[in-house]
Amino acid sequence: MPDHFFPVLFRRRAPGLLLGTAALCALLGAPALAQTGGVLPLASVGEKWPVDIETYVIRVSPQNANQPLGLEVYSPTLNLSDYADGRRAKAEGYFGDELYQKNAQFSTTFTLSGPNGQVFERTFGMNREHTWESLWASGLPAGTYNLKVNSVADGKNSFALRVAPPFSLETSDFTVNARDTEQRDLLVARLTVPAEWVGKTLSVTNYDVDGPTEAQTWVVQPGNKRVDLPSSANGRYETVKFPVTAALVGEWAVYLKVLPTTKQYSNAVTYSFRLNDQPTTARVGGFTPPTDAKINNQLLVDIVDLQGQPIPGASYTVGNDNVVRPTLPAGYVPVSADVLKGVGNVVSPTELRYTPGDVRLRFVARPPYKLVVEVVDPQGKPIPGASYIEAKDNSVRPVLPAGYVPVSASVVQGSGNVISSTELRYTPGDVRLRFVARPPEGALSVDAVAIYGGQRVPLTGVPFNVAGKTYSTPVTLPLQPGDYPVEPSQLSGSGVSTPPAGRVVDGATGRVTIEYTPRTEVTLLTTPDILSACDVTQLTATAKTDFPYKLPANLTLNLPTGWSSDYPLSLRGDLSSGAPLRLKVPVRVCRTDSAEAVLDPVGLRTTGQARVRSPGGANVTRTVEQGARAGVSKSVESNAQGYLVTLQITADSTLENVQISDPLPSGGQAARGPLSVSGPSLANLSPRVDGDTITLSRIIPGSYTLTYQLLTDLPAEQVLTAPDIRW
């Protein structure tokens, strides 16, 4: 059997007889051993079946166009002797045809369609013999063709299909008729698994095998590895999914074997194949008939020119009324039609009606008169992409590329007249016509800018794509009128959006600007960031970007109160990916605070802090008669608001009217913020402040903490004053 096989679903109909390979080969007059792996007929079921119309695909490649297709069918009619007439299921030549309503009129229609519509349609009824018929012997133009098989009435028609090499029959869902009494391995289909399928999933489904006692089904994978498939139950589906690996690339085969425990002589079964749940086709059909088998009906159709040579690209259609009509290439004129063999009659030069049998028909057509149409520019050069259309009234009009402007029309050779610059009418014969058109004179100007702050910085040499080609800004492109999308390239360190399409009109220049938005960053480094009062630190402000083009920028340092420098606090320059902008300034820091770095024109800001170490502290302890002792210690720490003053008071006795002297620093503006106090809960913790004196009306033994914010612009070395305590 040729390797023309694969996808199928199984389905079962009413009981019939299974005929083995040997019996089939005897029927066809050929040795049993010639049928490798057995023969499974295809089947078309009339009613109540998942696959209503069986479809087989035939692909005609350009290199195989017009080669003889050799599409032939065995037993296209429903043979009443197979089942219906007295239910003689074991009659000689049984092939699996079944009719379940004795008086029903059963028919099967074979329809072939392609890129240009229907090629033929043949309908077969019922008889009492198996015949071998030619459906389409001639060639076909390149394309994909679908052969649909549809049966009408309650029955099942088994048949066999074949095509001539190098063609094959493919399908993703189809029905076969399993009939065998010798339990041989019957080939269902073949499939080629390419390397491109690795990582995908191939599914094999069977329908209505009627269970494991009826038949076995399996696949044979590359390396002769057999994998059994589950036999579906009556009216059920069974699916096995195979993840495709490199080891599974190659030829697969699907088999079916009827078991001795079967209760029926024939069983319609449907197979389906899916790749990632999408239909995928396999090769089916085809077997070798006896060499002396006579084809009952063979139709050969020749379509030739006046010299008897085949006309390239010609084809024909066959109607269900046995009428043949030629399909001629554009411009060819029909001359005659003849019946060379068999019986038929000539209706016209484009129509022959024949009586089925061995028939050969011939159609003759002449090529069109020589019509040459030139569509050129004002320099006489052919316009790329230009063509023309011809009307039945012998008028010709040019088809110009978008934007071209007609200039003139003329009859260079032959007879004709000029209607307009876009229309010529000619007298049939050898004619040369010429249309002249000028190309459009529009253009598109494309530039690029960086939107940086409020500035638009021109950018040169930025690549972009228009109409499938790459250019660099700025550029003006001569283009035909129309709308042209401009696809910008990505520049590091920036964002860009696709601009509106550029519009080109005849005689004008359109403009498109690609706008990039650069991304910049600014940092401020303080080294060291902890120092003694009024020591010097170094501030380093750095502006960076990954944008490859220069951006004008200004980097500025803003110093807080208590910070000073004798160096410039601003730097102007160009910023780009290869050249950061860096400003280094030594600064004297007399208080804890933060400086600010600002990058203009984008107004990008950041801060850097420096802390001044605490100015220090002072303490005093006073002892009076009878042993009472109290003391106060003072510490000053700098912070962002100035200085935090802490007074720590200790006492070992209960004291009344305790006065703490805490002078404010002199030499500048200084003020004491709100006072906070904590200590033992039985003490009076409501202090009074009078100038430099803080009074606690009563304290008990323990520790007390008073804190306040010292607001002053004095440097750290001038803020510490000595405290005192009395009672």
mmCIF file of all heavy atoms in Angstrom, residues 353-394:
data_model
loop_
_atom_site.group_PDB
_atom_site.id
_atom_site.type_symbol
_atom_site.label_atom_id
_atom_site.label_comp_id
_atom_site.label_asym_id
_atom_site.label_seq_id
_atom_site.Cartn_x
_atom_site.Cartn_y
_atom_site.Cartn_z
ATOM 1 N N ARG A 353 -20.987 17.479 -24.156
ATOM 2 C CA ARG A 353 -21.732 16.552 -23.303
ATOM 3 C C ARG A 353 -21.364 15.129 -23.732
ATOM 4 O O ARG A 353 -21.364 14.803 -24.902
ATOM 5 C CB ARG A 353 -23.229 16.797 -23.426
ATOM 6 C CG ARG A 353 -24.064 15.862 -22.536
ATOM 7 C CD ARG A 353 -25.541 16.206 -22.569
ATOM 8 N NE ARG A 353 -25.847 17.395 -21.778
ATOM 9 C CZ ARG A 353 -26.168 18.572 -22.274
ATOM 10 N NH1 ARG A 353 -26.223 18.731 -23.599
ATOM 11 N NH2 ARG A 353 -26.420 19.608 -21.497
ATOM 12 N N TYR A 354 -21.016 14.285 -22.735
ATOM 13 C CA TYR A 354 -20.546 12.931 -23.059
ATOM 14 C C TYR A 354 -21.373 11.892 -22.318
ATOM 15 O O TYR A 354 -22.048 12.171 -21.325
ATOM 16 C CB TYR A 354 -19.073 12.782 -22.686
ATOM 17 C CG TYR A 354 -18.807 12.761 -21.208
ATOM 18 C CD1 TYR A 354 -18.680 11.549 -20.528
ATOM 19 C CD2 TYR A 354 -18.701 13.945 -20.482
ATOM 20 C CE1 TYR A 354 -18.456 11.530 -19.164
ATOM 21 C CE2 TYR A 354 -18.475 13.939 -19.123
ATOM 22 C CZ TYR A 354 -18.347 12.723 -18.458
ATOM 23 O OH TYR A 354 -18.132 12.701 -17.109
ATOM 24 N N THR A 355 -21.299 10.656 -22.824
ATOM 25 C CA THR A 355 -21.897 9.498 -22.159
ATOM 26 C C THR A 355 -20.793 8.794 -21.379
ATOM 27 O O THR A 355 -19.735 8.501 -21.942
ATOM 28 C CB THR A 355 -22.501 8.536 -23.189
ATOM 29 O OG1 THR A 355 -23.508 9.233 -23.940
ATOM 30 C CG2 THR A 355 -23.120 7.327 -22.492
ATOM 31 N N PRO A 356 -20.993 8.541 -20.063
ATOM 32 C CA PRO A 356 -19.919 7.933 -19.260
ATOM 33 C C PRO A 356 -19.369 6.659 -19.886
ATOM 34 O O PRO A 356 -20.113 5.831 -20.424
ATOM 35 C CB PRO A 356 -20.596 7.662 -17.917
ATOM 36 C CG PRO A 356 -21.679 8.696 -17.836
ATOM 37 C CD PRO A 356 -22.180 8.845 -19.245
ATOM 38 N N GLY A 357 -18.089 6.494 -19.815
ATOM 39 C CA GLY A 357 -17.353 5.375 -20.379
ATOM 40 C C GLY A 357 -15.918 5.818 -20.593
ATOM 41 O O GLY A 357 -15.438 6.736 -19.939
ATOM 42 N N ASP A 358 -15.224 5.148 -21.524
ATOM 43 C CA ASP A 358 -13.882 5.595 -21.882
ATOM 44 C C ASP A 358 -14.016 6.713 -22.901
ATOM 45 O O ASP A 358 -14.287 6.468 -24.083
ATOM 46 C CB ASP A 358 -13.067 4.429 -22.440
ATOM 47 C CG ASP A 358 -12.701 3.431 -21.360
ATOM 48 O OD1 ASP A 358 -12.735 3.837 -20.183
ATOM 49 O OD2 ASP A 358 -12.401 2.273 -21.680
ATOM 50 N N VAL A 359 -13.801 7.959 -22.430
ATOM 51 C CA VAL A 359 -14.082 9.134 -23.251
ATOM 52 C C VAL A 359 -12.841 10.016 -23.289
ATOM 53 O O VAL A 359 -12.160 10.195 -22.273
ATOM 54 C CB VAL A 359 -15.279 9.937 -22.684
ATOM 55 C CG1 VAL A 359 -15.521 11.196 -23.506
ATOM 56 C CG2 VAL A 359 -16.534 9.074 -22.653
ATOM 57 N N ARG A 360 -12.578 10.573 -24.482
ATOM 58 C CA ARG A 360 -11.522 11.574 -24.625
ATOM 59 C C ARG A 360 -12.084 12.733 -25.418
ATOM 60 O O ARG A 360 -12.599 12.556 -26.530
ATOM 61 C CB ARG A 360 -10.300 10.989 -25.319
ATOM 62 C CG ARG A 360 -9.141 11.980 -25.396
ATOM 63 C CD ARG A 360 -7.836 11.326 -25.682
ATOM 64 N NE ARG A 360 -6.711 12.205 -25.423
ATOM 65 C CZ ARG A 360 -5.485 11.800 -25.211
ATOM 66 N NH1 ARG A 360 -5.216 10.494 -25.231
ATOM 67 N NH2 ARG A 360 -4.514 12.655 -24.988
ATOM 68 N N LEU A 361 -11.935 13.934 -24.843
ATOM 69 C CA LEU A 361 -12.475 15.140 -25.456
ATOM 70 C C LEU A 361 -11.335 16.114 -25.720
ATOM 71 O O LEU A 361 -10.302 16.083 -25.056
ATOM 72 C CB LEU A 361 -13.501 15.802 -24.528
ATOM 73 C CG LEU A 361 -14.606 14.902 -23.957
ATOM 74 C CD1 LEU A 361 -15.498 15.691 -23.014
ATOM 75 C CD2 LEU A 361 -15.431 14.283 -25.083
ATOM 76 N N ARG A 362 -11.564 16.999 -26.717
ATOM 77 C CA ARG A 362 -10.545 18.006 -27.033
ATOM 78 C C ARG A 362 -11.209 19.349 -27.267
ATOM 79 O O ARG A 362 -12.185 19.458 -28.015
ATOM 80 C CB ARG A 362 -9.735 17.608 -28.271
ATOM 81 C CG ARG A 362 -8.781 18.719 -28.749
ATOM 82 C CD ARG A 362 -7.926 18.280 -29.911
ATOM 83 N NE ARG A 362 -6.977 17.248 -29.508
ATOM 84 C CZ ARG A 362 -6.191 16.584 -30.352
ATOM 85 N NH1 ARG A 362 -6.255 16.839 -31.642
ATOM 86 N NH2 ARG A 362 -5.362 15.662 -29.911
ATOM 87 N N PHE A 363 -10.622 20.373 -26.614
ATOM 88 C CA PHE A 363 -10.999 21.760 -26.864
ATOM 89 C C PHE A 363 -9.802 22.463 -27.489
ATOM 90 O O PHE A 363 -8.660 22.273 -27.053
ATOM 91 C CB PHE A 363 -11.390 22.471 -25.567
ATOM 92 C CG PHE A 363 -12.654 21.960 -24.936
ATOM 93 C CD1 PHE A 363 -12.597 20.988 -23.953
ATOM 94 C CD2 PHE A 363 -13.880 22.437 -25.360
ATOM 95 C CE1 PHE A 363 -13.758 20.511 -23.368
ATOM 96 C CE2 PHE A 363 -15.043 21.964 -24.775
ATOM 97 C CZ PHE A 363 -14.989 20.993 -23.785
ATOM 98 N N VAL A 364 -10.050 23.308 -28.507
ATOM 99 C CA VAL A 364 -8.996 24.065 -29.178
ATOM 100 C C VAL A 364 -9.292 25.552 -28.980
ATOM 101 O O VAL A 364 -10.434 26.000 -29.142
ATOM 102 C CB VAL A 364 -8.922 23.728 -30.683
ATOM 103 C CG1 VAL A 364 -7.830 24.556 -31.368
ATOM 104 C CG2 VAL A 364 -8.668 22.236 -30.888
ATOM 105 N N ALA A 365 -8.245 26.302 -28.613
ATOM 106 C CA ALA A 365 -8.380 27.752 -28.438
ATOM 107 C C ALA A 365 -7.135 28.420 -28.996
ATOM 108 O O ALA A 365 -6.052 27.828 -29.016
ATOM 109 C CB ALA A 365 -8.567 28.104 -26.965
ATOM 110 N N ARG A 366 -7.310 29.630 -29.468
ATOM 111 C CA ARG A 366 -6.168 30.371 -29.984
ATOM 112 C C ARG A 366 -5.735 31.423 -28.973
ATOM 113 O O ARG A 366 -6.546 31.933 -28.196
ATOM 114 C CB ARG A 366 -6.492 31.039 -31.317
ATOM 115 C CG ARG A 366 -7.551 32.113 -31.225
ATOM 116 C CD ARG A 366 -7.606 32.920 -32.515
ATOM 117 N NE ARG A 366 -8.679 33.891 -32.503
ATOM 118 C CZ ARG A 366 -8.634 35.058 -31.888
ATOM 119 N NH1 ARG A 366 -7.565 35.400 -31.213
ATOM 120 N NH2 ARG A 366 -9.662 35.886 -31.952
ATOM 121 N N PRO A 367 -4.443 31.753 -28.958
ATOM 122 C CA PRO A 367 -3.989 32.818 -28.055
ATOM 123 C C PRO A 367 -4.558 34.150 -28.500
ATOM 124 O O PRO A 367 -4.985 34.307 -29.654
ATOM 125 C CB PRO A 367 -2.471 32.779 -28.201
ATOM 126 C CG PRO A 367 -2.236 32.157 -29.537
ATOM 127 C CD PRO A 367 -3.352 31.179 -29.768
ATOM 128 N N PRO A 368 -4.601 35.106 -27.629
ATOM 129 C CA PRO A 368 -5.155 36.414 -27.998
ATOM 130 C C PRO A 368 -4.246 37.118 -28.997
ATOM 131 O O PRO A 368 -3.088 36.753 -29.178
ATOM 132 C CB PRO A 368 -5.195 37.161 -26.661
ATOM 133 C CG PRO A 368 -4.105 36.518 -25.846
ATOM 134 C CD PRO A 368 -4.100 35.068 -26.248
ATOM 135 N N TYR A 369 -4.847 38.108 -29.668
ATOM 136 C CA TYR A 369 -4.009 38.960 -30.504
ATOM 137 C C TYR A 369 -2.930 39.593 -29.640
ATOM 138 O O TYR A 369 -3.092 39.771 -28.433
ATOM 139 C CB TYR A 369 -4.846 40.053 -31.171
ATOM 140 C CG TYR A 369 -5.755 39.538 -32.242
ATOM 141 C CD1 TYR A 369 -7.135 39.655 -32.116
ATOM 142 C CD2 TYR A 369 -5.233 38.934 -33.389
ATOM 143 C CE1 TYR A 369 -7.988 39.194 -33.105
ATOM 144 C CE2 TYR A 369 -6.082 38.461 -34.382
ATOM 145 C CZ TYR A 369 -7.453 38.592 -34.242
ATOM 146 O OH TYR A 369 -8.275 38.112 -35.207
ATOM 147 N N LYS A 370 -1.821 39.967 -30.263
ATOM 148 C CA LYS A 370 -0.707 40.531 -29.526
ATOM 149 C C LYS A 370 -1.018 41.973 -29.168
ATOM 150 O O LYS A 370 -1.017 42.855 -30.018
ATOM 151 C CB LYS A 370 0.573 40.443 -30.344
ATOM 152 C CG LYS A 370 1.817 40.868 -29.574
ATOM 153 C CD LYS A 370 3.065 40.690 -30.421
ATOM 154 C CE LYS A 370 4.314 41.097 -29.647
ATOM 155 N NZ LYS A 370 5.537 40.945 -30.477
ATOM 156 N N LEU A 371 -1.322 42.175 -27.910
ATOM 157 C CA LEU A 371 -1.585 43.510 -27.406
ATOM 158 C C LEU A 371 -0.462 43.869 -26.438
ATOM 159 O O LEU A 371 -0.262 43.210 -25.419
ATOM 160 C CB LEU A 371 -2.937 43.571 -26.684
ATOM 161 C CG LEU A 371 -3.242 44.884 -25.951
ATOM 162 C CD1 LEU A 371 -3.332 46.056 -26.931
ATOM 163 C CD2 LEU A 371 -4.529 44.762 -25.136
ATOM 164 N N VAL A 372 0.299 44.914 -26.775
ATOM 165 C CA VAL A 372 1.391 45.376 -25.927
ATOM 166 C C VAL A 372 1.001 46.741 -25.366
ATOM 167 O O VAL A 372 0.669 47.655 -26.127
ATOM 168 C CB VAL A 372 2.720 45.476 -26.701
ATOM 169 C CG1 VAL A 372 3.821 46.012 -25.789
ATOM 170 C CG2 VAL A 372 3.099 44.115 -27.272
ATOM 171 N N VAL A 373 1.007 46.825 -24.039
ATOM 172 C CA VAL A 373 0.658 48.083 -23.374
ATOM 173 C C VAL A 373 1.857 48.529 -22.550
ATOM 174 O O VAL A 373 2.335 47.787 -21.686
ATOM 175 C CB VAL A 373 -0.581 47.927 -22.476
ATOM 176 C CG1 VAL A 373 -0.912 49.253 -21.789
ATOM 177 C CG2 VAL A 373 -1.771 47.441 -23.289
ATOM 178 N N GLU A 374 2.358 49.735 -22.870
ATOM 179 C CA GLU A 374 3.481 50.295 -22.125
ATOM 180 C C GLU A 374 2.967 51.366 -21.167
ATOM 181 O O GLU A 374 2.169 52.224 -21.562
ATOM 182 C CB GLU A 374 4.508 50.916 -23.079
ATOM 183 C CG GLU A 374 5.091 49.923 -24.080
ATOM 184 C CD GLU A 374 5.959 50.612 -25.111
ATOM 185 O OE1 GLU A 374 5.923 51.864 -25.168
ATOM 186 O OE2 GLU A 374 6.667 49.921 -25.862
ATOM 187 N N VAL A 375 3.407 51.291 -19.918
ATOM 188 C CA VAL A 375 3.103 52.335 -18.935
ATOM 189 C C VAL A 375 4.449 52.847 -18.448
ATOM 190 O O VAL A 375 5.165 52.162 -17.708
ATOM 191 C CB VAL A 375 2.253 51.793 -17.768
ATOM 192 C CG1 VAL A 375 1.863 52.928 -16.826
ATOM 193 C CG2 VAL A 375 1.005 51.079 -18.289
ATOM 194 N N VAL A 376 4.833 54.064 -18.909
ATOM 195 C CA VAL A 376 6.191 54.561 -18.697
ATOM 196 C C VAL A 376 6.150 55.956 -18.081
ATOM 197 O O VAL A 376 5.119 56.635 -18.063
ATOM 198 C CB VAL A 376 6.971 54.602 -20.026
ATOM 199 C CG1 VAL A 376 7.105 53.203 -20.607
ATOM 200 C CG2 VAL A 376 6.287 55.542 -21.034
ATOM 201 N N ASP A 377 7.334 56.382 -17.565
ATOM 202 C CA ASP A 377 7.463 57.744 -17.043
ATOM 203 C C ASP A 377 7.864 58.676 -18.187
ATOM 204 O O ASP A 377 8.062 58.236 -19.331
ATOM 205 C CB ASP A 377 8.471 57.778 -15.888
ATOM 206 C CG ASP A 377 9.867 57.339 -16.316
ATOM 207 O OD1 ASP A 377 10.162 57.351 -17.534
ATOM 208 O OD2 ASP A 377 10.663 56.972 -15.431
ATOM 209 N N PRO A 378 7.982 59.984 -17.946
ATOM 210 C CA PRO A 378 8.315 60.918 -19.041
ATOM 211 C C PRO A 378 9.647 60.619 -19.717
ATOM 212 O O PRO A 378 9.881 61.075 -20.844
ATOM 213 C CB PRO A 378 8.336 62.282 -18.338
ATOM 214 C CG PRO A 378 7.383 62.130 -17.196
ATOM 215 C CD PRO A 378 7.587 60.719 -16.727
ATOM 216 N N GLN A 379 10.559 59.860 -19.059
ATOM 217 C CA GLN A 379 11.827 59.481 -19.680
ATOM 218 C C GLN A 379 11.716 58.182 -20.474
ATOM 219 O O GLN A 379 12.704 57.688 -21.009
ATOM 220 C CB GLN A 379 12.918 59.336 -18.620
ATOM 221 C CG GLN A 379 13.399 60.655 -18.019
ATOM 222 C CD GLN A 379 12.369 61.290 -17.111
ATOM 223 O OE1 GLN A 379 11.765 60.604 -16.293
ATOM 224 N NE2 GLN A 379 12.171 62.596 -17.257
ATOM 225 N N GLY A 380 10.524 57.606 -20.543
ATOM 226 C CA GLY A 380 10.321 56.375 -21.307
ATOM 227 C C GLY A 380 10.660 55.110 -20.538
ATOM 228 O O GLY A 380 10.648 54.015 -21.121
ATOM 229 N N LYS A 381 10.947 55.201 -19.252
ATOM 230 C CA LYS A 381 11.265 54.017 -18.455
ATOM 231 C C LYS A 381 9.990 53.423 -17.869
ATOM 232 O O LYS A 381 9.103 54.156 -17.417
ATOM 233 C CB LYS A 381 12.227 54.375 -17.331
ATOM 234 C CG LYS A 381 13.587 54.852 -17.815
ATOM 235 C CD LYS A 381 14.504 55.184 -16.641
ATOM 236 C CE LYS A 381 15.870 55.650 -17.133
ATOM 237 N NZ LYS A 381 16.765 55.983 -15.976
ATOM 238 N N PRO A 382 9.888 52.076 -17.879
ATOM 239 C CA PRO A 382 8.683 51.447 -17.306
ATOM 240 C C PRO A 382 8.503 51.849 -15.845
ATOM 241 O O PRO A 382 9.461 51.936 -15.072
ATOM 242 C CB PRO A 382 8.971 49.944 -17.445
ATOM 243 C CG PRO A 382 9.966 49.851 -18.563
ATOM 244 C CD PRO A 382 10.813 51.087 -18.468
ATOM 245 N N ILE A 383 7.267 52.102 -15.472
ATOM 246 C CA ILE A 383 6.953 52.477 -14.093
ATOM 247 C C ILE A 383 6.808 51.210 -13.266
ATOM 248 O O ILE A 383 5.944 50.372 -13.553
ATOM 249 C CB ILE A 383 5.662 53.311 -14.037
ATOM 250 C CG1 ILE A 383 5.846 54.620 -14.813
ATOM 251 C CG2 ILE A 383 5.251 53.575 -12.593
ATOM 252 C CD1 ILE A 383 4.589 55.449 -14.922
ATOM 253 N N PRO A 384 7.649 51.002 -12.260
ATOM 254 C CA PRO A 384 7.537 49.787 -11.439
ATOM 255 C C PRO A 384 6.162 49.683 -10.787
ATOM 256 O O PRO A 384 5.638 50.653 -10.246
ATOM 257 C CB PRO A 384 8.635 49.970 -10.378
ATOM 258 C CG PRO A 384 9.587 50.960 -10.973
ATOM 259 C CD PRO A 384 8.750 51.871 -11.819
ATOM 260 N N GLY A 385 5.585 48.482 -10.856
ATOM 261 C CA GLY A 385 4.286 48.254 -10.228
ATOM 262 C C GLY A 385 3.106 48.687 -11.061
ATOM 263 O O GLY A 385 1.959 48.453 -10.674
ATOM 264 N N ALA A 386 3.337 49.300 -12.225
ATOM 265 C CA ALA A 386 2.219 49.721 -13.069
ATOM 266 C C ALA A 386 1.692 48.541 -13.876
ATOM 267 O O ALA A 386 2.422 47.602 -14.202
ATOM 268 C CB ALA A 386 2.653 50.846 -14.001
ATOM 269 N N SER A 387 0.417 48.575 -14.199
ATOM 270 C CA SER A 387 -0.201 47.551 -15.051
ATOM 271 C C SER A 387 -1.351 48.214 -15.805
ATOM 272 O O SER A 387 -1.422 49.449 -15.886
ATOM 273 C CB SER A 387 -0.689 46.376 -14.205
ATOM 274 O OG SER A 387 -1.670 46.799 -13.283
ATOM 275 N N TYR A 388 -2.243 47.370 -16.336
ATOM 276 C CA TYR A 388 -3.378 47.935 -17.060
ATOM 277 C C TYR A 388 -4.532 46.948 -16.992
ATOM 278 O O TYR A 388 -4.361 45.769 -16.642
ATOM 279 C CB TYR A 388 -3.023 48.246 -18.518
ATOM 280 C CG TYR A 388 -2.710 47.015 -19.349
ATOM 281 C CD1 TYR A 388 -3.703 46.360 -20.090
ATOM 282 C CD2 TYR A 388 -1.421 46.497 -19.383
ATOM 283 C CE1 TYR A 388 -3.410 45.230 -20.839
ATOM 284 C CE2 TYR A 388 -1.123 45.375 -20.124
ATOM 285 C CZ TYR A 388 -2.121 44.738 -20.858
ATOM 286 O OH TYR A 388 -1.843 43.613 -21.588
ATOM 287 N N ILE A 389 -5.730 47.459 -17.277
ATOM 288 C CA ILE A 389 -6.917 46.616 -17.359
ATOM 289 C C ILE A 389 -7.552 46.800 -18.731
ATOM 290 O O ILE A 389 -7.494 47.880 -19.328
ATOM 291 C CB ILE A 389 -7.919 46.949 -16.235
ATOM 292 C CG1 ILE A 389 -8.296 48.428 -16.265
ATOM 293 C CG2 ILE A 389 -7.359 46.569 -14.869
ATOM 294 C CD1 ILE A 389 -9.371 48.799 -15.254
ATOM 295 N N GLU A 390 -8.155 45.712 -19.230
ATOM 296 C CA GLU A 390 -8.759 45.726 -20.557
ATOM 297 C C GLU A 390 -10.229 45.372 -20.420
ATOM 298 O O GLU A 390 -10.591 44.386 -19.769
ATOM 299 C CB GLU A 390 -8.055 44.729 -21.472
ATOM 300 C CG GLU A 390 -8.592 44.701 -22.886
ATOM 301 C CD GLU A 390 -7.869 43.683 -23.763
ATOM 302 O OE1 GLU A 390 -6.980 42.979 -23.220
ATOM 303 O OE2 GLU A 390 -8.192 43.587 -24.949
ATOM 304 N N ALA A 391 -11.106 46.179 -21.017
ATOM 305 C CA ALA A 391 -12.543 45.945 -20.969
ATOM 306 C C ALA A 391 -12.996 45.210 -22.228
ATOM 307 O O ALA A 391 -12.249 45.072 -23.211
ATOM 308 C CB ALA A 391 -13.280 47.269 -20.817
ATOM 309 N N LYS A 392 -14.231 44.704 -22.176
ATOM 310 C CA LYS A 392 -14.757 43.945 -23.309
ATOM 311 C C LYS A 392 -14.947 44.799 -24.549
ATOM 312 O O LYS A 392 -15.021 44.265 -25.666
ATOM 313 C CB LYS A 392 -16.086 43.293 -22.914
ATOM 314 C CG LYS A 392 -15.934 42.183 -21.874
ATOM 315 C CD LYS A 392 -17.274 41.540 -21.569
ATOM 316 C CE LYS A 392 -17.111 40.408 -20.555
ATOM 317 N NZ LYS A 392 -18.420 39.768 -20.238
ATOM 318 N N ASP A 393 -15.035 46.105 -24.383
ATOM 319 C CA ASP A 393 -15.209 46.979 -25.549
ATOM 320 C C ASP A 393 -13.873 47.397 -26.154
ATOM 321 O O ASP A 393 -13.794 48.383 -26.887
ATOM 322 C CB ASP A 393 -16.017 48.220 -25.161
ATOM 323 C CG ASP A 393 -15.325 49.048 -24.072
ATOM 324 O OD1 ASP A 393 -14.292 48.582 -23.539
ATOM 325 O OD2 ASP A 393 -15.828 50.149 -23.757
ATOM 326 N N ASN A 394 -12.785 46.642 -25.811
ATOM 327 C CA ASN A 394 -11.437 46.905 -26.339
ATOM 328 C C ASN A 394 -10.867 48.232 -25.852
ATOM 329 O O ASN A 394 -10.000 48.813 -26.513
ATOM 330 C CB ASN A 394 -11.419 46.869 -27.881
ATOM 331 C CG ASN A 394 -11.775 45.498 -28.424
ATOM 332 O OD1 ASN A 394 -11.447 44.480 -27.806
ATOM 333 N ND2 ASN A 394 -12.464 45.460 -29.558
#
